[in-house]
């Protein structure tokens, strides 16, 4: 089996932040649906790499590589304390259009599309089109799940908004194909002191990407109750939407 340094050189992958290759997974390349079991060899190797990686806030560099076409988000998982995202490394994808990428970052930072359109002097439909075009290029537009939390925090970190000192990044290999894992802590919404304990729990679930139905099922309540709690959270924090909630959580130190 080749050494870590040999694997890295053989794949000719370069990145400004040069993350270490820390684990090898005895499985095939990325094809078919992502594994849902954390005991799968892929996830075992990815989590081992993330655990061995040094704590470092490299999320902005991850976002830069995403914009440059070097990364493609593939799957995510949640463990007891952290949320993990695996991305494929591939230098053949084209870079995102600069203007489209700028719109995407602003949307993921929680800015309303109408505000973005007004400031850019374009129609709201044009802003929406740019946003969807970038998601499509990133192969995220058809996802039935919300965008992964590490991805949103990477965009906000690139914009200088979010700071996640305990974020980890590492590279591992799956039989000739390099992959990256980015992992962030689950939010501690107790820092949102203006919310009730129930609202803090609902806010945490929303930040992590749960839908109303899933939250209602978990909390053994109705979807209507969860919807009212969403409204109360947004009103109390003076925000609107999940991305703005993630931004406020970062500002309040919920990911420290």
């Amino acid at each position: 089996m080749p050494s870590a340094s040999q694997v890295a050189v053989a794949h000719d992958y370069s990145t400004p932040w040069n993350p270490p290759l820390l684990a090898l997974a005895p499985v095939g390349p990325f094809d078919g649906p992502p594994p849902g079991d954390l005991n799968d060899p892929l996830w075992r190797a990815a989590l081992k790499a993330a655990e061995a990686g040094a704590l470092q806030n490299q999320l902005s560099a991850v976002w830069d590589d995403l914009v440059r076409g070097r990364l493609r988000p593939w799957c995510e998982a949640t463990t007891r304390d952290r949320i993990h995202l695996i991305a494929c490394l591939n230098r053949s994808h084209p870079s995102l259009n600069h203007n489209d990428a700028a719109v995407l970052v602003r949307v993921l930072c929680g800015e309303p599309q109408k505000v973005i359109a007004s400031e850019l002097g374009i129609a709201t439909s044009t802003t929406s089109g740019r946003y969807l075009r970038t998601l499509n290029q990133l192969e995220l537009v058809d996802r039935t799940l919300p965008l992964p939390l590490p991805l949103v925090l990477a965009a906000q970190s690139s914009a200088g908004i979010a700071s996640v000192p305990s974020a980890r990044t590492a590279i591992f290999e799956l039989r000739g194909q390099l992959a990256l894992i980015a992992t962030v802590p689950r939010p501690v919404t107790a820092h949102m002191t203006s919310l009730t304990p129930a609202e803090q729990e609902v806010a945490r679930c929303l930040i992590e990407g749960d839908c109303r139905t899933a939250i209602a099922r978990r909390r053994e309540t109705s979807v209507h109750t969860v919807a009212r709690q969403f409204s109360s959270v947004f009103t109390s924090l003076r925000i609107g939407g999940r991305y703005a909630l993630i931004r406020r959580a970062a500002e309040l130190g919920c990911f420290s």
Side-chain angles (χ1 to χ4, degrees):
M1 179 178 293
S3 68
S5 59
Q6 289 172 330
V7 170
V9 171
H11 286 83
D12 190 30
Y13 178 80
S14 62
T15 180
W17 42 283
N18 192 27
L21 175 65
L22 294 169
L24 296 173
V27 295
F30 295 98
D31 53 7
D37 185 359
L38 289 177
N39 289 317
D40 184 273
L42 182 153
W43 274 113
R44 289 206 305 269
L47 295 176
K48 179 181 177 181
E51 184 177 354
L55 288 174
Q56 49 185 339
N57 185 16
Q58 296 287 3
L59 292 180
S60 61
V62 170
W63 182 260
D64 290 342
D65 274 358
L66 189 78
V67 170
R68 293 175 182 175
R70 294 176 170 179
L71 297 176
R72 280 298 175 269
W74 191 59
C75 62
E76 61 182 313
T78 301
T79 53
R80 184 181 64 177
D81 299 320
R82 302 183 73 84
I83 297 177
H84 316 275
L85 171 69
I86 291 179
C88 305
L89 274 66
N90 189 332
R91 299 182 67 179
S92 64
H93 291 289
S95 299
L96 296 180
N97 174 277
H98 175 74
N99 292 330
D100 291 352
V103 168
L104 176 61
V105 169
R106 293 185 65 173
V107 172
L108 296 186
C109 286
E111 296 186 45
Q113 293 189 26
K114 289 184 178 180
V115 173
I116 298 173
S118 176
E119 292 185 1
L120 294 178
I122 58 178
T124 303
S125 59
T126 301
T127 300
S128 179
R130 289 181 177 179
Y131 169 66
L132 293 176
R133 185 162 55 240
T134 52
L135 290 185
N136 183 64
Q137 191 171 341
L138 294 173
E139 300 173 4
L140 293 169
V141 73
D142 294 328
R143 286 172 55 96
T144 57
L145 297 174
L147 294 187
L149 177 61
L151 184 63
V152 179
L153 286 173
Q156 295 187 4
S157 179
S158 177
I161 292 173
S163 177
V164 188
S166 59
R168 293 177 184 265
T169 55
I171 286 179
F172 62 102
E173 186 195 34
L174 290 83
R175 289 187 180 176
Q177 186 169 355
L178 293 176
L180 175 140
I181 181 169
T183 172
V184 299
R186 299 180 71 178
V188 180
T189 48
H191 294 303
M192 297 178 170
T193 56
S194 64
L195 305 182
T196 67
E199 290 168 349
Q200 291 172 356
E201 176 64 17
V202 167
R204 182 188 63 78
C205 292
L206 179 58
I207 289 171
E208 294 180 1
D210 290 335
C211 66
R212 295 180 183 181
T213 302
I215 297 173
R217 187 183 305 115
R218 178 180 303 177
R219 293 183 53 77
E220 298 182 344
T221 187
S222 70
V223 174
H224 296 297
T225 297
V226 173
R228 289 195 297 270
Q229 290 171 323
F230 276 10
S231 179
S232 181
V233 167
F234 295 153
T235 299
S236 178
L237 297 176
R238 298 181 180 180
I239 58 171
R242 176 178 177 243
Y243 301 145
L245 178 61
I246 294 172
R247 175 174 181 167
R248 183 57 53 85
E251 291 170 346
L252 293 174
C254 296
F255 299 105
S256 298

